[in-house]
């Protein structure tokens, strides 16, 4: 939910958000994501790649830590 809020996806529940991701990248539709499926899916979906990249951008956190 925090990742969604950071990226402006607050109109979706955590379950809806997860289902959307699985629909995009669970290529064999088994309800599980292998590391290979995840990497391939993220590489193929520019919007998802941007979302993941923003979600894990910790530069602002590091700035706060460094400044005390």
């Amino acid at each position: 939910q925090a990742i969604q809020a950071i990226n402006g996806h607050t109109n979706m529940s955590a379950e809806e958000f997860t289902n959307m991701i699985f629909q995009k990248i669970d290529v064999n539709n088994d309800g599980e994501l292998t590391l290979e499926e995840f990497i391939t899916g993220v590489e193929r979906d520019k919007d998802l790649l941007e979302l993941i990249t923003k979600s894990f951008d910790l530069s602002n956190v590091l700035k706060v830590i460094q400044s005390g």
Side-chain angles (χ1 to χ4, degrees):
Q1 289 174 335
I3 290 172
Q4 293 173 34
I6 289 169
N7 292 292
H9 292 282
T10 54
N11 60 333
M12 301 173 97
S13 72
E15 184 176 352
E16 289 170 331
F17 184 78
T18 303
N19 288 339
M20 178 191 72
I21 300 302
F22 269 80
Q23 287 174 0
K24 288 183 175 216
I25 63 178
D26 182 17
V27 292
N28 63 2
N29 295 314
D30 66 353
E32 296 181 5
L33 290 180
T34 64
L35 181 58
E36 183 179 320
E37 281 179 313
F38 179 78
I39 291 170
T40 301
V42 170
E43 287 175 339
R44 290 183 181 165
D45 190 307
K46 290 181 182 182
D47 293 332
L48 184 55
L49 178 59
E50 183 179 342
L51 176 67
I52 300 277
T53 302
K54 285 180 181 178
S55 298
F56 293 104
D57 178 10
L58 300 176
S59 58
N60 288 332
V61 174
L62 292 174
K63 288 176 187 176
V64 170
I65 291 170
Q66 289 175 341
S67 68

